[in-house]
Amino acid sequence: MAPIVCTSALEAVSLIQSGETLWTHSMGATPKLLLNALAEHALSRQDLTLLQLHTEGAESLSNDNLKGHLRHRCFFGGMPTRRLLQQGDADYVPIFLSEVPKLFRSGEQKIDTAIIQVSPPDKHGICSLGISVEATLAACQVAGKIIAHINPQMPRTHGDGFIHYSKIAAVYEESSALPQHPLAASDAVSLAIGNNVAELVRDGDCLQMGIGAIPDAVLSCLGNHKDLGIHTELFSDGVLNLVELGVVNNSKKKVHPGKIVTGFALGSQRLYDYVDDNPSVIFMDIEQVNDTAIIRKNPNVMAINSALQLDISGQICADSLGTKIYSGVGGQMDFIRGAGLSEGGRSVIALPSTASGGKVSRIATVLSPGAGVVTTRAHVHYVVTEYGYVNLRGRSLIERARALIDIAHPDFREQLCRETFDMWGLSV
Protein backbone atom coordinates (compact mmCIF):
# COMPACT_ATOMS: atom_id res chain seq x y z
CA MET A 1 0.00 0.00 0.00
CA ALA A 2 1.44 3.38 -1.00
CA PRO A 3 1.99 5.99 1.71
CA ILE A 4 0.16 9.29 1.89
CA VAL A 5 2.34 11.87 0.14
CA CYS A 6 2.14 15.07 2.17
CA THR A 7 2.81 18.63 1.09
CA SER A 8 4.07 19.67 4.54
CA ALA A 9 5.66 18.16 7.60
CA LEU A 10 2.64 19.26 9.65
CA GLU A 11 0.32 17.29 7.37
CA ALA A 12 2.50 14.20 7.82
CA VAL A 13 2.46 14.26 11.64
CA SER A 14 -1.29 15.03 11.71
CA LEU A 15 -1.85 11.25 11.67
CA ILE A 16 -0.69 11.17 15.31
CA GLN A 17 -3.56 10.96 17.81
CA SER A 18 -3.81 11.67 21.54
CA GLY A 19 -2.37 9.03 23.85
CA GLU A 20 0.13 7.64 21.34
CA THR A 21 3.63 6.47 22.18
CA LEU A 22 6.10 7.73 19.57
CA TRP A 23 9.67 6.84 18.64
CA THR A 24 11.95 9.32 16.94
CA HIS A 25 14.96 8.52 14.82
CA SER A 26 18.00 9.82 16.70
CA MET A 27 21.56 11.14 16.44
CA GLY A 28 22.45 12.67 13.05
CA ALA A 29 19.25 11.29 11.50
CA THR A 30 16.97 13.14 13.93
CA PRO A 31 13.95 14.12 11.75
CA LYS A 32 14.07 17.76 12.79
CA LEU A 33 11.49 18.96 10.25
CA LEU A 34 8.93 16.42 11.43
CA LEU A 35 9.71 17.03 15.10
CA ASN A 36 9.32 20.80 14.69
CA ALA A 37 5.92 20.09 13.12
CA LEU A 38 5.12 17.71 15.98
CA ALA A 39 5.80 20.53 18.46
CA GLU A 40 2.97 22.44 16.78
CA HIS A 41 0.66 19.46 16.25
CA ALA A 42 1.07 18.21 19.83
CA LEU A 43 -0.67 21.31 21.16
CA SER A 44 -3.91 19.90 19.74
CA ARG A 45 -3.30 16.47 21.31
CA GLN A 46 -2.99 15.13 24.85
CA ASP A 47 -0.73 12.61 26.59
CA LEU A 48 1.78 11.92 23.83
CA THR A 49 4.96 10.09 24.88
CA LEU A 50 8.13 10.54 22.84
CA LEU A 51 10.73 7.77 23.17
CA GLN A 52 14.25 8.71 22.13
CA LEU A 53 17.98 8.38 22.36
CA HIS A 54 20.12 11.50 21.89
CA THR A 55 18.45 13.88 19.42
CA GLU A 56 20.15 16.60 17.40
CA GLY A 57 18.44 19.96 16.95
CA ALA A 58 15.05 19.00 18.42
CA GLU A 59 14.83 21.85 20.95
CA SER A 60 11.34 22.84 19.76
CA LEU A 61 9.93 19.82 21.60
CA SER A 62 11.37 21.03 24.91
CA ASN A 63 9.07 24.06 25.11
CA ASP A 64 7.27 24.38 28.42
CA ASN A 65 3.95 24.91 26.62
CA LEU A 66 3.96 21.20 25.71
CA LYS A 67 3.33 20.10 29.32
CA GLY A 68 0.33 17.80 29.33
CA HIS A 69 0.56 17.43 25.57
CA LEU A 70 3.89 15.63 25.13
CA ARG A 71 6.35 14.07 27.58
CA HIS A 72 9.82 12.82 26.73
CA ARG A 73 10.88 9.31 27.75
CA CYS A 74 14.64 9.19 27.28
CA PHE A 75 16.95 6.21 27.02
CA PHE A 76 19.74 8.80 26.74
CA GLY A 77 19.73 12.49 27.59
CA GLY A 78 21.17 15.32 25.51
CA MET A 79 20.95 19.07 25.05
CA PRO A 80 17.26 19.15 24.01
CA THR A 81 16.12 17.08 27.01
CA ARG A 82 18.69 17.64 29.77
CA ARG A 83 16.87 20.57 31.39
CA LEU A 84 13.55 18.70 31.35
CA LEU A 85 15.14 15.60 32.86
CA GLN A 86 16.80 17.56 35.62
CA GLN A 87 13.62 19.41 36.62
CA GLY A 88 11.43 16.30 36.52
CA ASP A 89 9.51 17.19 33.35
CA ALA A 90 10.86 14.22 31.38
CA ASP A 91 11.54 10.58 32.23
CA TYR A 92 14.91 8.82 32.14
CA VAL A 93 15.11 5.07 31.54
CA PRO A 94 18.48 3.55 32.55
CA ILE A 95 19.17 0.73 30.09
CA PHE A 96 22.07 -0.72 28.14
CA LEU A 97 21.92 0.51 24.56
CA SER A 98 22.03 -3.09 23.30
CA GLU A 99 18.77 -3.81 25.12
CA VAL A 100 16.65 -0.97 23.71
CA PRO A 101 15.75 -2.93 20.54
CA LYS A 102 14.97 -5.97 22.71
CA LEU A 103 12.57 -3.82 24.72
CA PHE A 104 10.67 -3.02 21.51
CA ARG A 105 10.75 -6.46 19.90
CA SER A 106 9.62 -8.20 23.07
CA GLY A 107 6.57 -5.96 23.32
CA GLU A 108 7.62 -4.64 26.73
CA GLN A 109 7.59 -1.14 25.23
CA LYS A 110 4.84 -0.48 22.68
CA ILE A 111 5.32 2.00 19.85
CA ASP A 112 2.33 3.44 18.01
CA THR A 113 4.25 5.64 15.58
CA ALA A 114 7.88 5.76 14.43
CA ILE A 115 9.05 9.14 13.12
CA ILE A 116 12.09 8.73 10.88
CA GLN A 117 14.30 10.36 8.24
CA VAL A 118 15.35 8.29 5.23
CA SER A 119 16.91 8.45 1.79
CA PRO A 120 14.66 8.44 -1.29
CA PRO A 121 13.62 4.94 -2.38
CA ASP A 122 15.84 3.17 -4.89
CA LYS A 123 14.60 1.35 -8.00
CA HIS A 124 13.46 -1.50 -5.74
CA GLY A 125 11.40 0.83 -3.55
CA ILE A 126 13.80 0.56 -0.63
CA CYS A 127 14.73 3.55 1.53
CA SER A 128 17.80 3.71 3.78
CA LEU A 129 17.86 4.77 7.42
CA GLY A 130 21.17 6.32 6.44
CA ILE A 131 23.63 7.45 9.06
CA SER A 132 21.70 6.17 12.09
CA VAL A 133 20.29 2.66 12.43
CA GLU A 134 20.69 2.29 16.25
CA ALA A 135 17.29 1.22 17.70
CA THR A 136 15.24 2.78 14.91
CA LEU A 137 15.18 -0.39 12.80
CA ALA A 138 13.56 -2.27 15.69
CA ALA A 139 11.12 0.60 16.27
CA CYS A 140 10.04 0.51 12.63
CA GLN A 141 9.52 -3.25 12.79
CA VAL A 142 7.04 -3.01 15.68
CA ALA A 143 5.40 0.42 15.17
CA GLY A 144 1.75 0.65 14.25
CA LYS A 145 2.65 3.23 11.61
CA ILE A 146 5.73 5.01 10.25
CA ILE A 147 5.95 8.68 9.29
CA ALA A 148 9.03 9.56 7.25
CA HIS A 149 10.89 12.62 6.08
CA ILE A 150 12.44 11.62 2.76
CA ASN A 151 15.65 13.61 2.45
CA PRO A 152 17.73 13.48 -0.74
CA GLN A 153 20.74 14.49 1.35
CA MET A 154 20.53 11.35 3.52
CA PRO A 155 23.28 8.90 2.49
CA ARG A 156 22.31 5.40 1.43
CA THR A 157 24.27 3.14 3.74
CA HIS A 158 24.96 -0.59 3.68
CA GLY A 159 23.99 -3.04 6.42
CA ASP A 160 20.67 -3.39 8.26
CA GLY A 161 19.05 -0.01 7.78
CA PHE A 162 16.56 -0.69 4.99
CA ILE A 163 12.83 -0.03 4.93
CA HIS A 164 10.49 -0.48 1.98
CA TYR A 165 8.59 2.59 0.82
CA SER A 166 5.30 0.66 1.05
CA LYS A 167 5.77 0.15 4.81
CA ILE A 168 5.51 3.91 5.42
CA ALA A 169 2.14 5.47 6.26
CA ALA A 170 2.96 9.08 5.38
CA VAL A 171 5.91 10.77 3.71
CA TYR A 172 7.09 14.34 3.36
CA GLU A 173 10.01 15.06 1.04
CA GLU A 174 12.38 17.99 1.38
CA SER A 175 16.11 18.38 0.89
CA SER A 176 17.66 19.36 4.19
CA ALA A 177 21.26 19.48 5.47
CA LEU A 178 22.15 16.92 8.13
CA PRO A 179 23.60 18.09 11.47
CA GLN A 180 27.37 18.16 11.47
CA HIS A 181 29.88 17.64 14.27
CA PRO A 182 33.38 18.75 13.27
CA LEU A 183 36.37 17.26 15.05
CA ALA A 184 36.77 18.75 18.50
CA ALA A 185 39.70 21.09 19.00
CA SER A 186 42.32 19.40 21.16
CA ASP A 187 43.36 21.28 24.27
CA ALA A 188 46.46 20.39 26.27
CA VAL A 189 44.55 18.13 28.68
CA SER A 190 42.71 16.20 25.96
CA LEU A 191 45.91 15.75 23.99
CA ALA A 192 47.77 14.46 27.06
CA ILE A 193 44.96 11.98 27.70
CA GLY A 194 45.01 11.00 24.03
CA ASN A 195 48.72 10.26 24.16
CA ASN A 196 48.31 8.20 27.32
CA VAL A 197 45.50 6.13 25.82
CA ALA A 198 47.47 5.68 22.57
CA GLU A 199 50.24 4.00 24.58
CA LEU A 200 47.75 1.26 25.49
CA VAL A 201 46.61 0.66 21.89
CA ARG A 202 48.47 -2.14 20.10
CA ASP A 203 48.78 -2.82 16.39
CA GLY A 204 45.89 -5.01 15.27
CA ASP A 205 43.48 -3.84 17.97
CA CYS A 206 39.75 -3.54 17.25
CA LEU A 207 38.59 -0.17 18.56
CA GLN A 208 35.39 1.21 20.02
CA MET A 209 35.17 4.86 20.98
CA GLY A 210 32.71 7.72 21.34
CA ILE A 211 32.63 11.30 20.18
CA GLY A 212 34.14 14.44 21.68
CA ALA A 213 37.47 16.02 22.53
CA ILE A 214 39.02 12.96 24.24
CA PRO A 215 38.08 10.29 21.64
CA ASP A 216 39.13 12.67 18.87
CA ALA A 217 42.45 13.31 20.63
CA VAL A 218 43.02 9.55 21.05
CA LEU A 219 42.37 8.92 17.36
CA SER A 220 44.70 11.77 16.38
CA CYS A 221 47.52 10.03 18.28
CA LEU A 222 47.22 6.70 16.44
CA GLY A 223 48.76 7.70 13.11
CA ASN A 224 51.79 5.41 13.56
CA HIS A 225 49.77 2.29 14.41
CA LYS A 226 49.00 -0.54 11.96
CA ASP A 227 46.13 -2.87 11.10
CA LEU A 228 43.54 -1.34 13.41
CA GLY A 229 39.90 -2.38 13.16
CA ILE A 230 36.66 -0.64 14.03
CA HIS A 231 33.60 -2.19 15.68
CA THR A 232 31.85 0.68 17.45
CA GLU A 233 28.43 2.11 18.10
CA LEU A 234 29.59 5.53 16.81
CA PHE A 235 31.71 6.35 13.76
CA SER A 236 33.22 9.84 13.38
CA ASP A 237 35.73 11.86 11.36
CA GLY A 238 38.64 10.79 13.56
CA VAL A 239 38.20 7.24 12.32
CA LEU A 240 37.94 8.44 8.72
CA ASN A 241 41.33 10.13 9.02
CA LEU A 242 42.90 6.83 10.10
CA VAL A 243 41.19 4.99 7.22
CA GLU A 244 42.70 7.43 4.74
CA LEU A 245 46.14 6.96 6.33
CA GLY A 246 45.83 3.19 5.98
CA VAL A 247 46.04 2.74 9.77
CA VAL A 248 42.50 1.32 9.90
CA ASN A 249 42.07 -1.57 7.48
CA ASN A 250 40.04 -4.02 9.62
CA SER A 251 42.30 -6.87 8.50
CA LYS A 252 42.59 -8.56 11.92
CA LYS A 253 38.89 -8.68 12.76
CA LYS A 254 36.99 -11.95 12.84
CA VAL A 255 33.51 -10.38 12.72
CA HIS A 256 33.06 -8.67 9.34
CA PRO A 257 36.80 -8.54 8.48
CA GLY A 258 37.72 -5.73 6.15
CA LYS A 259 34.68 -3.67 7.15
CA ILE A 260 33.91 -0.95 9.67
CA VAL A 261 30.93 -1.95 11.82
CA THR A 262 28.88 0.82 13.42
CA GLY A 263 25.39 1.75 14.60
CA PHE A 264 25.43 5.42 13.65
CA ALA A 265 27.71 8.13 12.29
CA LEU A 266 27.98 11.76 13.32
CA GLY A 267 30.50 14.17 11.84
CA SER A 268 31.23 16.33 8.82
CA GLN A 269 29.80 16.29 5.31
CA ARG A 270 33.06 14.60 4.31
CA LEU A 271 32.14 11.70 6.59
CA TYR A 272 28.61 11.48 5.21
CA ASP A 273 29.95 11.46 1.66
CA TYR A 274 32.34 8.64 2.62
CA VAL A 275 29.66 6.34 4.03
CA ASP A 276 27.26 6.97 1.14
CA ASP A 277 26.91 3.69 -0.82
CA ASN A 278 30.17 2.44 0.72
CA PRO A 279 30.09 -1.35 1.22
CA SER A 280 33.17 -1.20 3.47
CA VAL A 281 31.08 0.49 6.19
CA ILE A 282 28.20 -1.54 7.67
CA PHE A 283 25.49 0.21 9.68
CA MET A 284 23.90 -2.47 11.87
CA ASP A 285 21.09 -2.86 14.36
CA ILE A 286 22.52 -1.74 17.71
CA GLU A 287 21.32 -5.00 19.27
CA GLN A 288 23.97 -6.66 17.09
CA VAL A 289 26.68 -3.97 17.23
CA ASN A 290 26.59 -3.83 21.02
CA ASP A 291 25.99 -7.53 21.68
CA THR A 292 28.68 -8.69 24.11
CA ALA A 293 28.65 -12.16 22.54
CA ILE A 294 29.48 -10.64 19.15
CA ILE A 295 31.98 -8.05 20.42
CA ARG A 296 34.05 -10.71 22.18
CA LYS A 297 34.49 -12.72 18.97
CA ASN A 298 36.96 -10.12 17.71
CA PRO A 299 40.41 -10.49 19.30
CA ASN A 300 42.13 -7.56 21.00
CA VAL A 301 39.05 -5.40 21.41
CA MET A 302 40.00 -2.00 22.83
CA ALA A 303 36.98 -0.18 24.30
CA ILE A 304 37.60 3.51 24.99
CA ASN A 305 34.97 5.34 27.01
CA SER A 306 34.68 8.28 29.38
CA ALA A 307 33.07 9.18 32.69
CA LEU A 308 31.76 12.11 34.67
CA GLN A 309 33.17 10.84 37.96
CA LEU A 310 34.76 7.76 39.54
CA ASP A 311 35.52 6.81 43.09
CA ILE A 312 38.78 5.37 44.39
CA SER A 313 37.32 1.86 44.44
CA GLY A 314 36.77 2.07 40.66
CA GLN A 315 33.02 2.70 40.42
CA ILE A 316 32.26 4.66 37.25
CA CYS A 317 29.47 7.23 37.00
CA ALA A 318 28.79 8.22 33.39
CA ASP A 319 25.13 9.24 33.26
CA SER A 320 24.52 11.77 36.04
CA LEU A 321 25.96 14.59 38.06
CA GLY A 322 24.87 13.40 41.48
CA THR A 323 21.09 13.07 41.17
CA LYS A 324 20.91 15.23 38.02
CA ILE A 325 20.68 13.13 34.85
CA TYR A 326 23.20 14.31 32.28
CA SER A 327 23.36 11.66 29.54
CA GLY A 328 22.67 7.94 29.78
CA VAL A 329 23.99 4.44 30.30
CA GLY A 330 24.53 4.03 26.56
CA GLY A 331 26.82 1.29 25.33
CA GLN A 332 29.67 1.68 27.81
CA MET A 333 29.04 -1.56 29.68
CA ASP A 334 28.20 -3.45 26.47
CA PHE A 335 31.70 -2.78 25.20
CA ILE A 336 33.59 -2.90 28.49
CA ARG A 337 32.23 -6.39 29.11
CA GLY A 338 32.75 -7.41 25.49
CA ALA A 339 36.35 -6.18 25.59
CA GLY A 340 36.95 -7.94 28.91
CA LEU A 341 35.86 -11.26 27.37
CA SER A 342 37.74 -10.73 24.09
CA GLU A 343 41.03 -12.57 23.68
CA GLY A 344 43.65 -9.94 24.45
CA GLY A 345 40.91 -7.34 25.01
CA ARG A 346 41.16 -4.28 27.22
CA SER A 347 38.94 -1.38 28.21
CA VAL A 348 39.78 2.20 29.11
CA ILE A 349 37.92 4.90 31.00
CA ALA A 350 39.55 8.17 29.96
CA LEU A 351 38.67 11.47 31.61
CA PRO A 352 40.18 14.79 32.69
CA SER A 353 41.28 14.80 36.32
CA THR A 354 39.12 17.81 37.21
CA ALA A 355 35.84 19.53 36.38
CA SER A 356 34.36 23.00 36.95
CA GLY A 357 37.50 24.78 35.82
CA GLY A 358 39.76 22.78 38.11
CA LYS A 359 37.65 23.27 41.24
CA VAL A 360 36.41 19.68 41.50
CA SER A 361 38.32 16.41 41.31
CA ARG A 362 36.62 13.85 39.06
CA ILE A 363 38.37 11.14 41.10
CA ALA A 364 36.50 11.16 44.41
CA THR A 365 36.71 9.15 47.60
CA VAL A 366 33.04 8.27 47.15
CA LEU A 367 30.65 9.10 44.34
CA SER A 368 28.37 12.09 44.78
CA PRO A 369 25.04 11.21 46.46
CA GLY A 370 22.66 9.90 43.82
CA ALA A 371 25.34 9.28 41.21
CA GLY A 372 24.54 6.33 38.97
CA VAL A 373 27.07 3.49 38.72
CA VAL A 374 27.22 2.71 35.00
CA THR A 375 30.34 0.53 35.14
CA THR A 376 30.93 -1.46 38.30
CA ARG A 377 34.28 -1.68 40.04
CA ALA A 378 34.36 -5.37 39.09
CA HIS A 379 34.38 -4.42 35.39
CA VAL A 380 36.77 -1.46 35.33
CA HIS A 381 40.16 -2.11 33.74
CA TYR A 382 42.37 0.86 32.75
CA VAL A 383 41.72 4.41 33.92
CA VAL A 384 43.48 7.29 32.18
CA THR A 385 43.82 10.98 33.00
CA GLU A 386 46.25 13.59 31.75
CA TYR A 387 48.59 12.43 34.55
CA GLY A 388 48.97 8.85 33.35
CA TYR A 389 47.17 5.52 33.34
CA VAL A 390 46.60 2.73 35.83
CA ASN A 391 45.43 -0.86 35.53
CA LEU A 392 42.83 -1.71 38.19
CA ARG A 393 42.10 -5.28 37.10
CA GLY A 394 42.91 -7.70 39.92
CA ARG A 395 43.79 -4.86 42.30
CA SER A 396 42.49 -4.65 45.88
CA LEU A 397 40.58 -1.63 47.11
CA ILE A 398 43.62 -0.09 48.77
CA GLU A 399 45.79 -0.79 45.72
CA ARG A 400 43.17 0.90 43.55
CA ALA A 401 43.07 3.91 45.83
CA ARG A 402 46.86 4.31 45.70
CA ALA A 403 46.89 3.96 41.91
CA LEU A 404 44.02 6.38 41.25
CA ILE A 405 45.37 9.03 43.63
CA ASP A 406 48.62 8.92 41.63
CA ILE A 407 46.76 10.03 38.47
CA ALA A 408 44.44 12.51 40.22
CA HIS A 409 45.18 16.20 39.90
CA PRO A 410 48.08 17.10 42.25
CA ASP A 411 45.92 19.72 43.99
CA PHE A 412 43.60 17.00 45.30
CA ARG A 413 45.96 14.12 46.10
CA GLU A 414 46.59 15.04 49.73
CA GLN A 415 42.86 15.46 50.36
CA LEU A 416 42.12 12.09 48.75
CA CYS A 417 44.78 10.40 50.90
CA ARG A 418 43.32 11.93 54.06
CA GLU A 419 39.73 11.01 53.16
CA THR A 420 40.76 7.46 52.28
CA PHE A 421 42.43 7.05 55.67
CA ASP A 422 39.32 8.39 57.42
CA MET A 423 37.11 6.01 55.43
CA TRP A 424 39.12 2.78 55.55
CA GLY A 425 41.63 3.44 58.33
CA LEU A 426 44.42 2.67 55.89
CA SER A 427 47.25 4.93 54.84
CA VAL A 428 47.72 5.33 51.11
Coordinates of all heavy atoms in Angstrom, one line a residue, residues 111-150:
I111 N 5.1 0.8 20.7 CA 5.3 2.0 19.8 C 4.2 2.1 18.9 O 3.9 1.2 18.1 CB 6.7 1.9 19.1 CG1 7.8 1.8 20.1 CG2 6.8 3.1 18.2 CD1 9.2 1.6 19.4
D112 N 3.4 3.2 18.9 CA 2.3 3.4 18.0 C 2.8 4.0 16.7 O 2.4 3.6 15.6 CB 1.3 4.4 18.6 CG 0.7 3.8 19.9 OD1 0.0 2.7 19.8 OD2 0.8 4.4 21.0
T113 N 3.8 5.0 16.8 CA 4.3 5.6 15.6 C 5.8 5.8 15.7 O 6.3 6.3 16.7 CB 3.6 7.0 15.4 OG1 2.2 6.9 15.3 CG2 4.1 7.7 14.2
A114 N 6.5 5.5 14.6 CA 7.9 5.8 14.4 C 8.0 6.9 13.5 O 7.5 6.9 12.4 CB 8.6 4.5 13.9
I115 N 8.8 7.9 13.9 CA 9.1 9.1 13.1 C 10.5 9.1 12.7 O 11.4 9.1 13.5 CB 8.8 10.4 13.9 CG1 7.3 10.4 14.5 CG2 9.0 11.7 13.1 CD1 7.1 11.5 15.5
I116 N 10.7 9.0 11.4 CA 12.1 8.7 10.9 C 12.5 9.7 9.7 O 11.7 10.4 9.2 CB 12.2 7.3 10.4 CG1 11.3 7.0 9.2 CG2 11.9 6.3 11.6 CD1 11.4 5.6 8.6
Q117 N 13.8 9.6 9.4 CA 14.3 10.4 8.2 C 15.1 9.4 7.4 O 16.0 8.7 7.9 CB 15.2 11.5 8.7 CG 15.8 12.3 7.6 CD 16.6 13.5 8.1 OE1 16.9 14.4 7.3 NE2 16.9 13.6 9.3
V118 N 14.8 9.3 6.1 CA 15.3 8.3 5.2 C 15.8 8.9 3.9 O 15.4 10.0 3.5 CB 14.3 7.1 5.0 CG1 14.0 6.4 6.3 CG2 13.1 7.7 4.3
S119 N 16.6 8.1 3.2 CA 16.9 8.4 1.8 C 15.7 8.2 0.9 O 14.8 7.5 1.2 CB 18.1 7.6 1.3 OG 17.6 6.3 1.1
P120 N 15.7 8.8 -0.3 CA 14.7 8.4 -1.3 C 14.7 7.0 -1.6 O 15.8 6.3 -1.5 CB 15.0 9.3 -2.5 CG 15.8 10.4 -1.9 CD 16.6 9.8 -0.8
P121 N 13.6 6.4 -2.0 CA 13.6 4.9 -2.4 C 14.4 4.7 -3.6 O 14.5 5.6 -4.5 CB 12.1 4.6 -2.6 CG 11.5 5.9 -2.9 CD 12.3 7.0 -2.1
D122 N 15.1 3.5 -3.7 CA 15.8 3.2 -4.9 C 14.9 2.5 -5.9 O 13.7 2.5 -5.7 CB 17.0 2.3 -4.5 CG 16.6 0.9 -3.9 OD1 15.4 0.6 -4.0 OD2 17.5 0.2 -3.4
K123 N 15.4 1.9 -6.9 CA 14.6 1.3 -8.0 C 13.8 0.1 -7.5 O 12.8 -0.3 -8.2 CB 15.5 0.9 -9.2 CG 16.5 -0.2 -8.9 CD 17.3 -0.5 -10.1 CE 18.3 -1.6 -9.8 NZ 19.2 -1.9 -11.0
H124 N 14.2 -0.4 -6.3 CA 13.5 -1.5 -5.7 C 12.4 -1.0 -4.7 O 11.8 -1.8 -4.1 CB 14.4 -2.5 -5.1 CG 15.5 -3.0 -6.0 ND1 15.3 -3.8 -7.1 CD2 16.8 -2.7 -6.0 CE1 16.4 -4.1 -7.7 NE2 17.4 -3.4 -7.1
G125 N 12.3 0.3 -4.5 CA 11.4 0.8 -3.6 C 11.9 0.8 -2.1 O 11.1 0.9 -1.2
I126 N 13.2 0.7 -2.0 CA 13.8 0.6 -0.6 C 14.5 1.9 -0.2 O 15.3 2.4 -1.0 CB 14.8 -0.6 -0.6 CG1 14.1 -1.9 -0.8 CG2 15.5 -0.6 0.8 CD1 15.0 -3.1 -1.0
C127 N 14.1 2.4 0.9 CA 14.7 3.6 1.5 C 15.8 3.1 2.5 O 15.8 2.0 3.0 CB 13.7 4.4 2.3 SG 12.3 5.0 1.2
S128 N 16.7 4.0 2.8 CA 17.8 3.7 3.8 C 17.6 4.6 5.0 O 17.3 5.8 4.9 CB 19.2 4.0 3.1 OG 20.2 3.9 4.1
L129 N 17.8 4.0 6.2 CA 17.9 4.8 7.4 C 19.1 5.6 7.5 O 19.3 6.4 8.5 CB 17.8 3.8 8.6 CG 16.4 3.1 8.8 CD1 16.5 2.1 10.0 CD2 15.3 4.1 9.1
G130 N 20.0 5.4 6.6 CA 21.2 6.3 6.4 C 22.2 6.2 7.5 O 22.7 5.1 7.9
I131 N 22.5 7.4 8.1 CA 23.6 7.5 9.1 C 23.3 7.0 10.5 O 24.1 7.2 11.4 CB 24.2 8.9 9.1 CG1 23.2 9.9 9.5 CG2 24.8 9.2 7.7 CD1 23.7 11.3 9.7
S132 N 22.1 6.5 10.7 CA 21.7 6.2 12.1 C 20.7 5.0 12.1 O 19.5 5.3 11.9 CB 21.1 7.4 12.8 OG 21.1 7.2 14.2
V133 N 21.2 3.8 12.3 CA 20.3 2.7 12.4 C 19.9 2.5 13.9 O 18.7 2.3 14.2 CB 21.0 1.4 11.8 CG1 20.1 0.2 12.1 CG2 21.2 1.6 10.3
E134 N 20.9 2.5 14.8 CA 20.7 2.3 16.3 C 19.5 1.4 16.6 O 19.4 0.3 16.2 CB 20.7 3.6 17.0 CG 20.5 4.9 16.2 CD 19.0 5.3 16.1 OE1 18.1 4.8 16.7 OE2 18.8 6.2 15.2
A135 N 18.5 2.0 17.3 CA 17.3 1.2 17.7 C 16.1 1.5 16.8 O 15.0 1.0 17.0 CB 16.9 1.5 19.1
T136 N 16.3 2.4 15.8 CA 15.2 2.8 14.9 C 14.7 1.7 14.0 O 13.6 1.6 13.7 CB 15.6 4.0 14.1 OG1 15.8 5.1 15.0 CG2 14.6 4.4 13.1
L137 N 15.6 0.8 13.6 CA 15.2 -0.4 12.8 C 14.2 -1.2 13.6 O 13.1 -1.6 13.1 CB 16.4 -1.3 12.4 CG 16.0 -2.5 11.6 CD1 15.5 -2.2 10.2 CD2 17.2 -3.5 11.5
A138 N 14.5 -1.5 14.8 CA 13.6 -2.3 15.7 C 12.2 -1.5 15.9 O 11.2 -2.1 15.9 CB 14.2 -2.6 17.0
A139 N 12.3 -0.2 16.1 CA 11.1 0.6 16.3 C 10.2 0.5 15.0 O 9.0 0.4 15.2 CB 11.5 2.0 16.6
C140 N 10.8 0.6 13.9 CA 10.0 0.5 12.6 C 9.4 -0.9 12.5 O 8.3 -1.0 11.9 CB 10.9 0.8 11.4 SG 11.4 2.5 11.3
Q141 N 10.1 -1.9 12.9 CA 9.5 -3.2 12.8 C 8.3 -3.5 13.6 O 7.5 -4.3 13.3 CB 10.6 -4.3 13.1 CG 11.7 -4.3 12.1 CD 12.9 -5.2 12.6 OE1 13.1 -5.5 13.7 NE2 13.8 -5.5 11.6
V142 N 8.2 -2.8 14.8 CA 7.0 -3.0 15.7 C 6.0 -1.9 15.7 O 4.9 -2.1 16.3 CB 7.5 -3.3 17.1 CG1 8.6 -4.4 17.2 CG2 8.2 -2.0 17.7
A143 N 6.3 -0.7 15.1 CA 5.4 0.4 15.2 C 4.1 0.2 14.4 O 4.1 -0.5 13.4 CB 6.1 1.7 14.6
G144 N 3.0 0.7 14.9 CA 1.8 0.7 14.2 C 1.8 1.4 12.9 O 1.1 1.0 12.0
K145 N 2.5 2.5 12.9 CA 2.6 3.2 11.6 C 4.0 4.0 11.6 O 4.6 4.2 12.7 CB 1.5 4.2 11.4 CG 1.3 5.3 12.4 CD 0.1 6.2 12.1 CE -0.2 7.2 13.2 NZ -0.6 6.5 14.5
I146 N 4.5 4.3 10.4 CA 5.7 5.0 10.2 C 5.5 6.3 9.5 O 4.8 6.3 8.4 CB 6.7 4.1 9.5 CG1 7.0 2.8 10.3 CG2 8.0 4.9 9.3 CD1 7.8 1.8 9.5
I147 N 6.0 7.4 10.0 CA 6.0 8.7 9.3 C 7.4 9.1 9.0 O 8.3 9.1 9.8 CB 5.3 9.8 10.2 CG1 3.8 9.4 10.5 CG2 5.3 11.1 9.5 CD1 3.2 10.3 11.5
A148 N 7.6 9.4 7.7 CA 9.0 9.6 7.2 C 9.2 10.9 6.5 O 8.4 11.3 5.7 CB 9.4 8.4 6.3
H149 N 10.4 11.5 6.9 CA 10.9 12.6 6.1 C 11.9 12.0 5.1 O 12.9 11.4 5.5 CB 11.6 13.6 7.0 CG 12.4 14.6 6.2 ND1 13.5 15.3 6.8 CD2 12.4 15.1 5.0 CE1 14.1 16.1 6.0 NE2 13.4 16.0 4.8
I150 N 11.5 12.1 3.8 CA 12.4 11.6 2.8 C 13.4 12.8 2.4 O 12.9 13.8 1.9 CB 11.7 11.1 1.5 CG1 10.9 9.8 1.9 CG2 12.6 10.9 0.4 CD1 10.1 9.3 0.7

